[in-house]
């Protein structure tokens, strides 16, 4: 959408937001239910996976990254990569000490 | 001799730039919270049994309610922006009001949650907490600092949303600033602005010591005109609010749901 003017107003639609919200509510229910099931080791990963899915819904639709120009996606990706390096290197250090 | 100088009035507005600036700020927030999440992860790795035991003391029901409250507030702020873009100011204000209400509900819940814990003698540095194992002490210290920092963000977001509610309710105003690089040419002249066909001209004299000519024109937009200046402000406030929501999306399972 980079050929658009910088000051244009984009609408997405009320329905899309309500649908996304329903998805978020269902995923919240899912995390609570799963936490009751005893699955050691993987439990944290499942919880984080659900949280990541919820976040991506919020980022893509509520924060409309999906509809933004490529520059925005690159900036966000840079942020995520930076944070992943922080977390990855710290884990690498702590686990193999 | 009379000469006429034309002054240019420019409106500088870059919505994409404003949004990009907001995103860059949000990345600094992301890095701030990541630091705390890393600290949490390392201690949870070391004291997983103690973290599990301590987490059982948190109220999952209140946590779940607060999650739903925050998710719904994200929906209402998104709907408010959409309504303002579609020029339904009334719906936008209702949705914004709902968002502020949910923010308040979240904070009140947090207040009751924290005061119940403090009442039971569990707070950083308390005698009761110091008698417990190190892992549990660390868990509760992290709980207070992370949900506290998040709560502070909710409070700031709520204040920003209230400010926007006032701005939108008051209707938009536009201001123009006129710059002329050769102000000395204007000494002793008069400045005239056409107010409207009926209202005629507004005339003012420019003094000898003129350094800059600044004309501020405020007017209310016509009915049916999209409220552009407020849309970008509300959109950026919305981005901040959604970030606060995302942080909670991670805090909730990590503190309340350790199985």
């Amino acid at each position: 959408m980079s050929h658009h003017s910088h000051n244009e107003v984009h609408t997405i639609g009320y329905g899309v937001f309500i649908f996304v919200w329903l998805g978020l509510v269902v995923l919240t229910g899912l995390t609570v239910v799963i936490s009751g099931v005893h699955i050691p080791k993987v439990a944290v990963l499942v919880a984080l996976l659900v949280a990541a899915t919820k976040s991506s819904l919020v980022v893509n639709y509520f924060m409309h990254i999906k509809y933004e120009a490529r520059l925005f996606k690159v900036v966000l990706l840079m942020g995520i990569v930076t944070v992943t390096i922080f977390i990855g290197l710290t884990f690498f250090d702590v686990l193999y000490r | 001799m009379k000469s006429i100088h034309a002054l240019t009035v420019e409106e500088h507005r870059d919505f994409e730039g404003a949004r990009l600036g907001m995103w860059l700020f949000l990345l600094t927030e992301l890095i701030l919270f990541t630091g705390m999440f890393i600290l949490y992860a390392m201690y949870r790795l070391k004291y997983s049994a103690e973290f599990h035991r301590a987490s059982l003391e948190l109220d999952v029901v209140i946590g779940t309610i607060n999650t739903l409250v925050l998710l719904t507030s994200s929906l209402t702020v998104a709907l408010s922006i959409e309504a303002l873009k579609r020029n339904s100011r009334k719906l936008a204000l209702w949705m914004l009001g709902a968002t502020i209400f949910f923010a308040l509900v979240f904070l009140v819940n947090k207040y009751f949650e924290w005061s119940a814990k403090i009442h039971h003698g569990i707070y950083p540095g308390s005698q009761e907490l110091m008698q417990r194992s190190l892992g549990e002490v660390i868990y509760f210290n992290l709980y207070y600092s992370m949900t506290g920092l998040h709560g502070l963000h909710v409070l700031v977001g709520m204040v920003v949303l209230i400010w926007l509610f006032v701005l939108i309710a008051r209707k938009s105003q536009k201001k123009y600033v006129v710059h002329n690089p050769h102000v000395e040419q204007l000494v002793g002249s008069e400045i005239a602005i056409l107010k409207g066909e009926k209202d005629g001209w507004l005339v003012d004299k420019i003094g000898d010591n003129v350094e800059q000519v600044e004309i501020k024109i405020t007017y209310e937009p016509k009915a049916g005109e999209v409220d552009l200046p407020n849309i970008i402000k509300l959109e950026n406030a919305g981005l901040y609010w959604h970030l606060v929501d995302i942080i909670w999306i991670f805090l909730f399972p990590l503190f309340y749901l350790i199985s």
Side-chain angles (χ1 to χ4, degrees):
Chain A
M1 271 187 247
S2 51
H3 58 276
H4 280 297
S5 119
H6 283 215
N7 296 338
E8 221 164 289
V9 171
H10 297 283
T11 53
I12 294 168
Y14 298 117
V16 176
F17 291 130
I18 293 169
F19 204 68
V20 168
W21 173 76
L22 277 174
L24 289 169
V25 170
V26 169
L27 285 170
T28 304
L30 192 72
T31 354
V32 176
V33 170
I34 286 177
S35 74
V37 183
H38 200 71
I39 30 168
K41 296 277 175 199
V42 252
V44 194
L45 288 179
V46 173
L48 286 176
L49 207 68
V50 175
T53 312
K54 284 167 79 178
S55 303
S56 91
L57 278 176
V58 173
V59 167
N60 274 307
Y61 293 96
F62 284 172
M63 298 171 97
H64 42 80
I65 268 291
K66 191 175 185 285
Y67 308 97
E68 292 281 13
R70 186 185 284 158
L71 175 65
F72 285 76
K73 293 169 187 166
V74 172
V75 164
L76 177 62
L77 192 69
M78 265 165 47
I80 293 171
V81 168
T82 308
V83 157
T84 311
I85 291 171
F86 286 172
I87 297 172
L89 283 182
T90 317
F91 263 97
F92 192 76
D93 176 38
V94 170
L95 287 175
Y96 298 99
R97 214 174 260 190
Chain B
M1 202 187 83
K2 226 173 183 182
S3 68
I4 295 169
H5 298 277
L7 301 176
T8 47
V9 174
E10 276 177 72
E11 212 180 335
H12 293 286
R13 208 160 262 155
D14 184 353
F15 290 169
E16 213 168 274
R19 276 206 306 280
L20 189 62
M22 192 65 202
W23 271 103
L24 289 174
F25 168 66
L26 293 188
L27 289 189
T28 68
E29 291 278 67
L30 177 71
I31 288 167
L32 168 70
F33 277 98
T34 299
M36 307 201 82
F37 277 114
I38 289 176
L39 203 60
Y40 170 93
M42 296 312 137
Y43 279 122
R44 181 164 170 181
L45 214 63
K46 205 172 173 188
Y47 301 105
S48 47
E50 287 92 336
F51 267 45
H52 171 61
R53 209 180 318 135
S55 79
L56 294 176
E57 288 175 51
L58 292 193
D59 193 336
V60 180
V61 177
I62 291 192
T64 310
I65 289 171
N66 261 354
T67 307
L68 293 176
V69 164
L70 223 48
L71 286 178
T72 312
S73 76
S74 257
L75 169 70
T76 52
V77 82
L79 291 179
S80 174
I81 296 164
E82 185 80 2
L84 199 63
K85 282 179 178 174
R86 288 168 184 229
N87 216 0
S88 9
R89 190 187 294 271
K90 216 172 181 179
L91 181 64
L93 284 174
W94 271 106
M95 286 298 127
L96 193 53
T99 313
I100 295 163
F101 171 74
F102 287 131
L104 192 68
V105 169
F106 181 90
L107 287 175
V108 167
N109 275 344
K110 203 95 242 123
Y111 167 77
F112 281 121
E113 211 183 356
W114 272 30
S115 35
K117 277 273 149 303
I118 292 168
H119 189 73
H120 285 110
I122 297 171
Y123 53 89
S126 74
Q127 273 193 326
E128 156 81 20
L129 192 59
M130 284 327 200
Q131 284 162 0
R132 301 201 184 186
S133 67
L134 187 59
E136 281 178 76
V137 173
I138 291 171
Y139 171 89
F140 279 110
N141 284 350
L142 282 171
Y143 164 75
Y144 276 108
S145 47
M146 288 175 84
T147 61
L149 187 64
H150 176 265
L152 195 67
H153 278 76
V154 173
L155 190 67
V156 170
M158 196 174 86
V159 171
V160 171
L161 291 174
I162 290 171
W163 171 59
L164 273 160
F165 188 93
V166 174
L167 280 187
I168 294 166
R170 243 189 11 197
K171 290 182 182 170
S172 169
Q173 294 182 327
K174 284 184 185 173
K175 279 187 183 137
Y176 296 103
V177 179
V178 179
H179 298 284
N180 190 304
H182 303 292
V183 272
E184 69 278 359
Q185 293 177 347
L186 298 172
V187 172
S189 60
E190 282 179 331
I191 196 156
I193 299 159
L194 185 62
K195 273 181 88 180
E197 277 176 30
K198 282 179 202 159
D199 302 322
W201 291 81
L202 192 84
V203 182
D204 202 4
K205 208 160 169 68
I206 294 172
D208 292 343
N209 302 320
V210 60
E211 280 177 358
Q212 187 190 352
V213 179
E214 210 176 274
I215 303 166
K216 282 189 180 155
I217 306 166
T218 55
Y219 77 95
E220 288 179 7
K222 293 177 213 133
E225 203 180 336
V226 183
D227 189 354
L228 285 172
N230 281 336
I231 285 175
I232 185 61
K233 288 194 193 88
L234 184 61
E235 211 160 33
N236 277 351
L239 285 176
Y240 181 78
W241 193 251
H242 295 310
L243 176 95
V244 171
D245 187 21
I246 290 175
I247 304 290
W248 184 258
I249 283 174
F250 282 95
L251 284 178
F252 172 58
L254 291 179
F255 277 102
Y256 293 78
L257 306 172
I258 303 179
S259 57

